[in-house]
Amino acid sequence: MDLVLTDQPTAEDEAVVSNGLDDFNLTAGGVQDRKPLAVLLKENGETIGGLTGRTSLGLWFVDLLYLPERLRGSGLGSKILAEAEVEARRRGCLSGVVYTIQFQAPEFYARHGWIEFGRVPVGADRSRVFFRKELRG
């Protein structure tokens, strides 16, 4: 056996890890419901921004949310986040989690009802900011 450190795992590498964890979750917890969730912003058929994440075991993970600078402040980010939240609720998620960097969008998430639950310093003057949101009710 070898340990291989890489910044370029193949799709097959990632699938082995992902499928292995799914199998474990099914065996141990009786559930395997991880599913990607994306709301994409398209212009002339090309993706120019959007949200990516996933749902699993009652939790919605927001991985990335990006809009081109020219569209920030237009309300599209709010629309994208709201649409993803509706889908997460439809899938039975009870909570959501996201992290951002303090210079990115903590105010955006707070405005949309997300509650900060932690900060992890990642340098002398910046932190990752972790948020959660209850989706019940």
Side-chain angles (χ1 to χ4, degrees), residues 35-74:
K35 186 175 182 182
L37 192 162
V39 178
L40 304 174
L41 180 61
K42 302 230 177 202
E43 186 173 70
N44 300 319
E46 298 289 323
T47 300
I48 62 167
L51 177 148
T52 62
R54 65 198 179 284
T55 58
S56 178
L57 300 172
L59 188 59
W60 167 37
F61 296 86
V62 176
D63 292 329
L64 303 169
L65 175 54
Y66 169 77
L67 283 177
E69 190 167 347
R70 68 183 167 88
L71 298 174
R72 294 177 195 156
S74 69

Side-chain angles (χ1 to χ4, degrees), residues 100-104 106 119-129:
T100 187
I101 301 172
Q102 68 190 72
F103 63 79
Q104 288 177 331
R119 287 181 181 238
V120 176
V122 293
D125 61 345
R126 54 179 72 127
S127 296
R128 296 218 185 242
V129 185

Side-chain angles (χ1 to χ4, degrees), residues 37 54-55 58-61 82-96 135:
L37 192 162
R54 65 198 179 284
T55 58
L59 188 59
W60 167 37
F61 296 86
E83 187 156 332
E85 183 175 327
V86 166
E87 177 61 13
R89 287 175 189 267
R90 189 191 68 72
R91 294 182 187 187
C93 291
L94 302 176
S95 300
L135 301 179

Side-chain angles (χ1 to χ4, degrees), residues 7-49:
D7 62 355
Q8 296 180 348
T10 66
E12 293 80 17
D13 295 332
E14 291 181 351
V16 167
V17 174
S18 178
N19 294 338
L21 185 57
D22 285 346
D23 290 345
F24 173 82
N25 288 345
L26 183 58
T27 300
V31 178
Q32 190 291 69
D33 66 347
R34 184 173 44 86
K35 186 175 182 182
L37 192 162
V39 178
L40 304 174
L41 180 61
K42 302 230 177 202
E43 186 173 70
N44 300 319
E46 298 289 323
T47 300
I48 62 167

